Coordinates of all heavy atoms in Angstrom, one line a residue:
N29 N -6.0 -1.1 -5.2 CA -6.8 0.1 -4.8 C -6.8 0.2 -3.3 O -6.7 -0.8 -2.6 CB -8.3 -0.1 -5.3 CG -8.4 0.2 -6.8 OD1 -7.4 0.5 -7.5 ND2 -9.5 0.0 -7.3
I30 N -7.1 1.4 -2.8 CA -7.0 1.6 -1.4 C -8.3 2.4 -1.0 O -8.8 3.2 -1.7 CB -5.8 2.5 -1.0 CG1 -4.5 1.8 -1.3 CG2 -5.9 2.9 0.4 CD1 -3.3 2.6 -1.1
A31 N -8.9 2.0 0.2 CA -10.0 2.7 0.7 C -9.7 3.2 2.2 O -8.9 2.6 2.8 CB -11.2 1.8 0.7
K32 N -10.4 4.2 2.6 CA -10.3 4.7 4.0 C -11.3 4.0 4.8 O -12.5 3.9 4.4 CB -10.5 6.2 4.0 CG -10.1 6.9 5.2 CD -8.6 7.1 5.3 CE -8.3 8.0 6.5 NZ -6.9 8.2 6.7
D33 N -10.9 3.4 6.0 CA -11.9 2.8 6.9 C -11.6 3.4 8.2 O -10.7 3.0 9.0 CB -11.6 1.3 6.9 CG -12.6 0.5 7.8 OD1 -13.5 1.1 8.3 OD2 -12.3 -0.7 8.0
G34 N -12.3 4.4 8.6 CA -12.1 5.2 9.8 C -10.7 5.9 9.6 O -10.5 6.6 8.7
D35 N -9.8 5.6 10.6 CA -8.5 6.2 10.5 C -7.5 5.4 9.7 O -6.4 5.7 9.4 CB -7.9 6.4 11.9 CG -8.3 7.7 12.6 OD1 -8.9 8.5 11.9 OD2 -8.1 7.8 13.8
A36 N -8.0 4.2 9.3 CA -7.1 3.2 8.6 C -7.2 3.3 7.1 O -8.3 3.7 6.6 CB -7.4 1.8 9.0
L37 N -6.1 2.9 6.4 CA -6.2 2.7 5.0 C -6.2 1.2 4.8 O -5.4 0.5 5.4 CB -4.9 3.3 4.3 CG -4.9 4.8 4.2 CD1 -3.5 5.3 3.8 CD2 -5.9 5.4 3.3
V38 N -7.0 0.7 3.8 CA -7.1 -0.7 3.6 C -6.9 -1.0 2.2 O -7.5 -0.4 1.3 CB -8.5 -1.2 4.1 CG1 -8.7 -2.7 3.8 CG2 -8.8 -0.9 5.6
A39 N -6.2 -2.1 1.9 CA -6.0 -2.5 0.5 C -7.3 -3.2 0.1 O -7.8 -4.1 0.8 CB -4.8 -3.5 0.4
T40 N -7.9 -2.8 -1.0 CA -9.2 -3.4 -1.4 C -9.0 -4.3 -2.6 O -9.7 -5.3 -2.7 CB -10.2 -2.3 -1.8 OG1 -9.7 -1.4 -2.8 CG2 -10.6 -1.4 -0.5
I41 N -8.1 -3.9 -3.5 CA -7.9 -4.8 -4.7 C -6.3 -4.9 -4.8 O -5.7 -3.8 -4.8 CB -8.5 -4.2 -5.9 CG1 -10.0 -4.2 -5.8 CG2 -8.1 -5.0 -7.2 CD1 -10.7 -3.4 -7.0
V42 N -5.8 -6.1 -5.0 CA -4.4 -6.2 -5.3 C -4.4 -6.9 -6.7 O -4.8 -8.0 -6.9 CB -3.7 -7.1 -4.3 CG1 -2.3 -7.3 -4.6 CG2 -3.8 -6.5 -2.9
V43 N -3.8 -6.2 -7.6 CA -3.8 -6.6 -9.0 C -2.8 -7.8 -9.2 O -1.6 -7.6 -8.7 CB -3.4 -5.5 -10.0 CG1 -3.3 -5.9 -11.4 CG2 -4.4 -4.3 -9.8
P44 N -3.2 -8.9 -9.8 CA -2.3 -10.0 -10.0 C -1.1 -9.6 -10.8 O -1.2 -8.8 -11.7 CB -3.2 -11.0 -10.7 CG -4.6 -10.7 -10.4 CD -4.6 -9.2 -10.2
G45 N 0.1 -10.1 -10.4 CA 1.3 -9.9 -11.2 C 2.0 -8.6 -10.8 O 3.0 -8.2 -11.4
T46 N 1.5 -7.8 -9.8 CA 2.1 -6.6 -9.5 C 3.1 -6.8 -8.3 O 3.1 -7.8 -7.6 CB 1.0 -5.6 -9.0 OG1 0.3 -6.1 -7.9 CG2 0.1 -5.2 -10.1
P47 N 3.9 -5.8 -8.1 CA 4.9 -5.9 -6.9 C 4.1 -6.1 -5.6 O 4.6 -6.7 -4.7 CB 5.6 -4.6 -7.0 CG 5.6 -4.2 -8.4 CD 4.3 -4.6 -8.9
A48 N 2.9 -5.4 -5.5 CA 2.2 -5.6 -4.2 C 1.8 -7.1 -4.0 O 1.9 -7.6 -2.9 CB 0.9 -4.7 -4.3
E49 N 1.3 -7.7 -5.0 CA 1.0 -9.1 -4.9 C 2.3 -10.0 -4.6 O 2.2 -10.8 -3.7 CB 0.4 -9.7 -6.2 CG 0.0 -11.1 -6.0 CD -0.4 -11.8 -7.3 OE1 0.3 -11.7 -8.3 OE2 -1.5 -12.5 -7.3
A50 N 3.4 -9.7 -5.3 CA 4.6 -10.4 -5.0 C 5.1 -10.2 -3.6 O 5.7 -11.1 -3.0 CB 5.7 -9.9 -6.0
A51 N 4.8 -9.0 -3.0 CA 5.2 -8.7 -1.6 C 4.2 -9.4 -0.6 O 4.4 -9.2 0.6 CB 5.2 -7.2 -1.4
G52 N 3.1 -10.0 -1.1 CA 2.2 -10.7 -0.2 C 1.1 -9.8 0.4 O 0.4 -10.2 1.3
I53 N 0.9 -8.6 -0.2 CA -0.2 -7.8 0.2 C -1.5 -8.4 -0.3 O -1.6 -8.8 -1.5 CB 0.0 -6.3 -0.3 CG1 1.2 -5.7 0.3 CG2 -1.2 -5.5 0.0 CD1 1.6 -4.4 -0.2
K54 N -2.5 -8.4 0.6 CA -3.8 -9.1 0.2 C -4.9 -8.1 0.5 O -4.8 -7.2 1.4 CB -4.0 -10.3 1.0 CG -3.0 -11.4 0.6 CD -3.2 -12.7 1.4 CE -2.3 -13.8 1.1 NZ -1.0 -13.6 0.7
P55 N -6.1 -8.2 -0.2 CA -7.2 -7.4 0.1 C -7.6 -7.5 1.6 O -7.5 -8.6 2.1 CB -8.3 -8.0 -0.8 CG -7.6 -8.6 -2.0 CD -6.3 -9.1 -1.4
G56 N -7.9 -6.4 2.2 CA -8.2 -6.4 3.6 C -7.0 -6.1 4.5 O -7.2 -5.7 5.7
D57 N -5.8 -6.1 4.0 CA -4.6 -5.7 4.8 C -4.7 -4.2 5.1 O -5.1 -3.5 4.2 CB -3.3 -6.0 4.0 CG -3.0 -7.5 4.0 OD1 -3.7 -8.3 4.7 OD2 -2.0 -7.9 3.3
R58 N -4.3 -3.9 6.3 CA -4.3 -2.5 6.7 C -2.9 -1.9 6.4 O -1.9 -2.5 6.7 CB -4.7 -2.3 8.1 CG -6.1 -2.8 8.4 CD -6.6 -2.3 9.8 NE -8.0 -2.6 9.9 CZ -9.0 -1.9 9.5 NH1 -8.7 -0.7 8.9 NH2 -10.2 -2.2 9.7
I59 N -2.9 -0.7 5.9 CA -1.7 0.1 5.6 C -1.5 1.0 6.8 O -2.3 1.9 7.1 CB -1.8 0.8 4.3 CG1 -2.1 -0.2 3.2 CG2 -0.6 1.7 4.1 CD1 -2.5 0.5 1.9
I60 N -0.4 0.8 7.5 CA 0.0 1.6 8.7 C 0.6 2.9 8.2 O 0.3 4.0 8.8 CB 0.9 0.8 9.6 CG1 0.3 -0.5 10.0 CG2 1.3 1.6 10.8 CD1 -1.0 -0.5 10.7
S61 N 1.5 2.8 7.3 CA 2.2 4.0 6.7 C 2.7 3.7 5.3 O 2.9 2.6 4.9 CB 3.4 4.4 7.6 OG 4.4 3.5 7.6
I62 N 2.9 4.8 4.6 CA 3.5 4.8 3.3 C 4.5 5.9 3.3 O 4.2 7.1 3.6 CB 2.4 5.1 2.2 CG1 1.3 4.1 2.2 CG2 3.1 5.2 0.8 CD1 0.1 4.5 1.2
E63 N 5.8 5.5 3.0 CA 6.9 6.5 3.0 C 6.9 7.3 4.3 O 7.1 8.5 4.2 CB 6.8 7.4 1.8 CG 7.1 6.7 0.5 CD 8.5 6.2 0.4 OE1 9.5 7.0 0.6 OE2 8.7 5.0 0.2
E64 N 6.7 6.6 5.4 CA 6.8 7.2 6.7 C 5.7 8.2 7.0 O 5.8 9.0 8.0 CB 8.2 7.8 7.0 CG 9.3 6.7 7.0 CD 10.6 7.1 7.4 OE1 10.7 8.1 8.2 OE2 11.6 6.5 7.0
Q65 N 4.7 8.2 6.1 CA 3.5 9.1 6.4 C 2.4 8.2 7.0 O 2.0 7.2 6.4 CB 3.0 9.7 5.1 CG 4.0 10.7 4.5 CD 3.5 11.4 3.3 OE1 2.4 11.9 3.3 NE2 4.3 11.5 2.3
A66 N 2.0 8.5 8.2 CA 1.0 7.7 8.9 C -0.3 7.7 8.2 O -0.8 8.7 7.7 CB 0.9 8.2 10.3
A67 N -0.9 6.5 8.1 CA -2.2 6.3 7.4 C -3.3 7.3 7.9 O -4.0 7.8 7.1 CB -2.6 4.9 7.5
P68 N -3.4 7.5 9.2 CA -4.5 8.4 9.7 C -4.4 9.8 9.1 O -5.4 10.5 9.0 CB -4.4 8.4 11.2 CG -3.7 7.1 11.5 CD -2.8 6.9 10.4
K69 N -3.2 10.2 8.7 CA -3.0 11.5 8.1 C -3.2 11.6 6.6 O -3.2 12.6 6.0 CB -1.7 12.1 8.4 CG -1.4 12.2 9.9 CD -0.1 12.8 10.2 CE 0.1 12.9 11.7 NZ 1.4 13.5 12.1
L70 N -3.4 10.4 6.0 CA -3.6 10.3 4.5 C -5.0 10.0 4.1 O -5.7 9.2 4.7 CB -2.7 9.2 3.9 CG -1.2 9.4 4.1 CD1 -0.5 8.1 3.7 CD2 -0.7 10.6 3.2
S71 N -5.5 10.7 3.0 CA -6.7 10.3 2.4 C -6.4 9.1 1.5 O -5.3 8.8 1.1 CB -7.3 11.4 1.6 OG -6.5 11.7 0.5
A72 N -7.5 8.4 1.1 CA -7.3 7.3 0.1 C -6.7 7.9 -1.2 O -5.8 7.2 -1.8 CB -8.6 6.6 -0.2
R73 N -7.1 9.1 -1.6 CA -6.5 9.7 -2.8 C -5.1 10.0 -2.6 O -4.3 9.7 -3.5 CB -7.3 11.0 -3.1 CG -6.9 11.6 -4.4 CD -7.7 12.9 -4.7 NE -7.5 13.5 -6.0 CZ -6.4 14.1 -6.4 NH1 -5.3 14.2 -5.6 NH2 -6.3 14.6 -7.6
D74 N -4.7 10.6 -1.5 CA -3.3 10.9 -1.3 C -2.4 9.6 -1.3 O -1.3 9.6 -1.8 CB -3.1 11.6 0.1 CG -3.6 13.0 0.1 OD1 -3.8 13.6 -1.1 OD2 -3.9 13.6 1.1
A75 N -2.9 8.5 -0.7 CA -2.2 7.3 -0.6 C -2.1 6.7 -2.0 O -1.0 6.2 -2.4 CB -3.0 6.2 0.2
T76 N -3.1 6.8 -2.8 CA -3.0 6.3 -4.2 C -2.0 7.1 -5.0 O -1.3 6.5 -5.8 CB -4.4 6.4 -4.9 OG1 -5.3 5.6 -4.1 CG2 -4.4 5.9 -6.3
L77 N -1.9 8.4 -4.8 CA -0.9 9.2 -5.5 C 0.5 8.8 -5.1 O 1.4 8.8 -6.0 CB -1.2 10.7 -5.2 CG -2.4 11.3 -5.9 CD1 -2.7 12.7 -5.4 CD2 -2.3 11.2 -7.4
L78 N 0.7 8.5 -3.8 CA 2.0 8.0 -3.4 C 2.4 6.7 -4.1 O 3.5 6.5 -4.5 CB 2.0 7.8 -1.9 CG 2.1 9.1 -1.0 CD1 1.9 8.8 0.4 CD2 3.5 9.8 -1.2
L79 N 1.4 5.9 -4.3 CA 1.6 4.6 -4.9 C 1.8 4.7 -6.4 O 2.3 3.8 -7.1 CB 0.5 3.6 -4.6 CG 0.3 3.2 -3.2 CD1 -0.9 2.4 -3.0 CD2 1.6 2.4 -2.7
A80 N 1.5 5.8 -6.9 CA 1.6 6.1 -8.4 C 2.8 6.9 -8.7 O 2.8 7.7 -9.6 CB 0.3 6.7 -8.9
G81 N 3.9 6.8 -7.8 CA 5.1 7.6 -8.0 C 5.8 7.2 -9.3 O 5.3 6.4 -10.1
P82 N 7.0 7.8 -9.5 CA 7.7 7.5 -10.7 C 8.1 6.0 -10.9 O 8.4 5.3 -9.9 CB 9.0 8.3 -10.5 CG 8.7 9.3 -9.4 CD 7.7 8.7 -8.6
I83 N 7.9 5.6 -12.1 CA 8.2 4.2 -12.5 C 9.6 3.9 -12.1 O 10.5 4.7 -12.4 CB 8.0 3.9 -14.0 CG1 6.5 4.3 -14.4 CG2 8.3 2.5 -14.4 CD1 5.5 3.6 -13.7
G84 N 9.9 2.7 -11.5 CA 11.2 2.3 -11.1 C 11.6 2.8 -9.7 O 12.6 2.3 -9.2
S85 N 10.9 3.7 -9.1 CA 11.2 4.2 -7.8 C 10.8 3.2 -6.7 O 10.0 2.3 -6.9 CB 10.6 5.6 -7.5 OG 9.2 5.5 -7.4
Q86 N 11.5 3.2 -5.6 CA 11.2 2.4 -4.4 C 10.2 3.0 -3.5 O 10.2 4.2 -3.3 CB 12.5 2.1 -3.7 CG 13.6 1.3 -4.5 CD 13.2 -0.1 -4.7 OE1 12.6 -0.8 -3.9 NE2 13.5 -0.6 -5.9
L87 N 9.4 2.2 -2.9 CA 8.3 2.7 -2.0 C 8.3 1.8 -0.8 O 8.4 0.6 -0.9 CB 7.0 2.6 -2.7 CG 5.8 3.1 -1.9 CD1 5.8 4.7 -1.9 CD2 4.5 2.6 -2.5
H88 N 8.3 2.4 0.4 CA 8.3 1.7 1.7 C 6.9 1.8 2.3 O 6.4 2.9 2.4 CB 9.4 2.2 2.6 CG 9.3 1.6 4.0 ND1 8.8 2.2 5.1 CD2 9.8 0.4 4.4 CE1 8.9 1.3 6.1 NE2 9.5 0.2 5.7
M89 N 6.4 0.7 2.7 CA 5.1 0.7 3.4 C 5.2 -0.2 4.7 O 6.1 -1.1 4.7 CB 4.0 0.1 2.5 CG 3.8 0.8 1.2 SD 2.7 -0.1 0.1 CE 1.2 -0.1 0.9
V90 N 4.4 0.1 5.6 CA 4.2 -0.8 6.8 C 2.8 -1.4 6.7 O 1.8 -0.6 6.6 CB 4.5 -0.1 8.1 CG1 4.3 -1.0 9.3 CG2 5.9 0.5 8.1
I91 N 2.7 -2.7 6.7 CA 1.4 -3.4 6.5 C 1.0 -4.2 7.7 O 1.9 -4.9 8.3 CB 1.5 -4.3 5.3 CG1 1.9 -3.5 4.0 CG2 0.2 -5.1 5.1 CD1 0.9 -2.6 3.5
A92 N -0.2 -4.2 8.1 CA -0.8 -5.1 9.1 C -1.7 -6.1 8.4 O -2.7 -5.6 7.8 CB -1.5 -4.4 10.2
P93 N -1.5 -7.4 8.4 CA -2.3 -8.3 7.7 C -3.7 -8.3 8.3 O -3.9 -8.0 9.4 CB -1.7 -9.7 7.9 CG -0.4 -9.4 8.6 CD -0.4 -8.0 9.1
K94 N -4.7 -8.6 7.4 CA -6.1 -8.7 7.8 C -6.2 -9.9 8.8 O -5.5 -10.9 8.7 CB -7.0 -9.1 6.6 CG -8.4 -9.2 6.9 CD -9.2 -9.5 5.7 CE -10.7 -9.7 6.0 NZ -11.5 -10.0 4.8
G95 N -6.9 -9.7 9.9 CA -7.0 -10.7 10.9 C -5.7 -10.6 11.8 O -5.2 -9.6 12.1
D96 N -5.3 -11.8 12.2 CA -4.1 -11.9 13.0 C -2.9 -11.9 12.2 O -2.9 -12.5 11.1 CB -4.1 -13.1 13.9 CG -5.2 -13.0 15.0 OD1 -5.5 -11.8 15.4 OD2 -5.7 -14.0 15.5
G97 N -1.8 -11.4 12.6 CA -0.5 -11.5 11.9 C 0.4 -10.4 12.3 O 0.0 -9.4 12.9
E98 N 1.6 -10.5 12.0 CA 2.6 -9.6 12.4 C 2.7 -8.4 11.5 O 2.7 -8.6 10.3 CB 4.0 -10.3 12.4 CG 4.9 -9.9 13.5 CD 6.1 -10.7 13.6 OE1 6.0 -11.9 14.0 OE2 7.2 -10.2 13.2
V99 N 2.8 -7.2 12.0 CA 3.0 -6.0 11.2 C 4.4 -6.1 10.6 O 5.3 -6.6 11.2 CB 3.0 -4.7 12.1 CG1 3.4 -3.5 11.4 CG2 1.6 -4.6 12.7
R100 N 4.5 -5.8 9.3 CA 5.7 -6.0 8.6 C 6.0 -4.8 7.6 O 5.1 -4.1 7.2 CB 5.7 -7.3 7.8 CG 4.7 -7.4 6.8 CD 4.5 -8.8 6.3 NE 3.4 -9.0 5.4 CZ 3.4 -8.8 4.1 NH1 4.5 -8.4 3.5 NH2 2.3 -8.9 3.4
D101 N 7.3 -4.7 7.4 CA 7.8 -3.7 6.4 C 7.7 -4.3 5.0 O 8.1 -5.5 4.8 CB 9.2 -3.3 6.7 CG 9.3 -2.4 8.0 OD1 8.8 -1.3 8.0 OD2 9.9 -2.9 8.9
V102 N 7.3 -3.5 4.0 CA 7.3 -3.9 2.6 C 7.9 -2.9 1.8 O 7.6 -1.7 1.9 CB 5.8 -4.1 2.2 CG1 5.7 -4.4 0.7 CG2 5.1 -5.2 3.0
N103 N 8.9 -3.3 0.9 CA 9.5 -2.4 0.0 C 9.1 -2.8 -1.4 O 9.2 -4.0 -1.8 CB 11.0 -2.4 0.1 CG 11.4 -1.8 1.5 OD1 11.2 -0.7 1.7 ND2 12.1 -2.6 2.3
L104 N 8.5 -1.9 -2.2 CA 8.1 -2.1 -3.5 C 8.8 -1.3 -4.5 O 9.2 -0.2 -4.2 CB 6.6 -1.8 -3.6 CG 5.6 -2.4 -2.7 CD1 4.2 -1.9 -2.9 CD2 5.6 -3.9 -2.9
K105 N 9.0 -1.9 -5.7 CA 9.6 -1.1 -6.8 C 8.4 -0.8 -7.7 O 7.7 -1.7 -8.2 CB 10.6 -1.9 -7.6 CG 11.2 -1.1 -8.7 CD 12.4 -1.9 -9.3 CE 13.0 -1.1 -10.5 NZ 14.1 -1.8 -11.1
L106 N 8.1 0.5 -7.9 CA 6.9 0.8 -8.7 C 7.1 0.5 -10.2 O 8.2 0.7 -10.8 CB 6.6 2.3 -8.5 CG 6.4 2.7 -7.1 CD1 6.1 4.2 -7.0 CD2 5.2 1.9 -6.5
V107 N 6.1 0.0 -10.8 CA 6.1 -0.4 -12.2 C 4.9 0.2 -12.9 O 3.9 0.6 -12.2 CB 6.0 -2.0 -12.4 CG1 7.2 -2.6 -11.8 CG2 4.7 -2.6 -11.8
E108 N 4.9 0.2 -14.2 CA 3.8 0.7 -15.0 C 2.7 -0.3 -15.0 O 3.0 -1.5 -15.4 CB 4.2 1.1 -16.4 CG 3.1 1.8 -17.2 CD 3.6 2.2 -18.5 OE1 4.7 2.0 -18.9 OE2 2.7 2.9 -19.2
L109 N 1.5 0.0 -14.7 CA 0.4 -0.9 -14.8 C -0.3 -0.7 -16.1 O -0.7 0.4 -16.5 CB -0.6 -0.7 -13.7 CG -0.1 -1.0 -12.3 CD1 -1.2 -0.8 -11.2 CD2 0.3 -2.5 -12.2
I110 N -0.5 -1.8 -16.9 CA -1.1 -1.7 -18.2 C -2.5 -2.2 -18.0 O -2.7 -3.3 -17.6 CB -0.3 -2.5 -19.2 CG1 1.1 -1.9 -19.3 CG2 -1.0 -2.5 -20.6 CD1 2.0 -2.5 -20.3
P111 N -3.5 -1.3 -18.4 CA -4.9 -1.7 -18.2 C -5.4 -2.9 -19.0 O -4.8 -3.2 -20.0 CB -5.7 -0.5 -18.5 CG -4.8 0.5 -19.1 CD -3.4 0.0 -18.9

């Protein structure tokens, strides 16, 4: 899940076993961009819709870890989440 925090998008929940977890995304990490769309221009809903793209498609994100850490590129392959 993603929440808006001022101009930033923040990962709030990372579901175990998902590509996001495998990529090392953790709750509290800031999302700088999704598919080259800057976070300040996206609502939490718009970001969630981008993350719910077609199953099997690739998604590029730029992530800044919570606290100190290097900003990094993350590429995810979207999968179906089973509740």
Side-chain angles (χ1 to χ4, degrees):
N29 289 356
I30 296 174
K32 193 80 171 180
D33 182 11
D35 277 346
L37 290 169
V38 179
T40 56
I41 297 172
V42 179
V43 177
T46 61
E49 182 191 49
I53 298 172
K54 296 181 176 31
D57 286 354
R58 295 194 174 274
I59 300 166
I60 306 300
S61 67
I62 302 172
E63 288 296 305
E64 298 187 24
Q65 294 186 46
K69 296 180 180 181
L70 294 170
S71 67
R73 183 180 189 290
D74 289 340
T76 300
L77 290 173
L78 284 171
L79 294 174
I83 304 301
S85 64
Q86 297 288 325
L87 182 79
H88 176 258
M89 301 171 67
V90 178
I91 303 290
K94 181 179 179 179
D96 291 333
E98 216 172 290
V99 172
R100 61 192 171 89
D101 290 295
V102 174
N103 292 300
L104 304 175
K105 183 174 181 180
L106 299 181
V107 298
E108 184 175 6
L109 294 180
I110 301 185

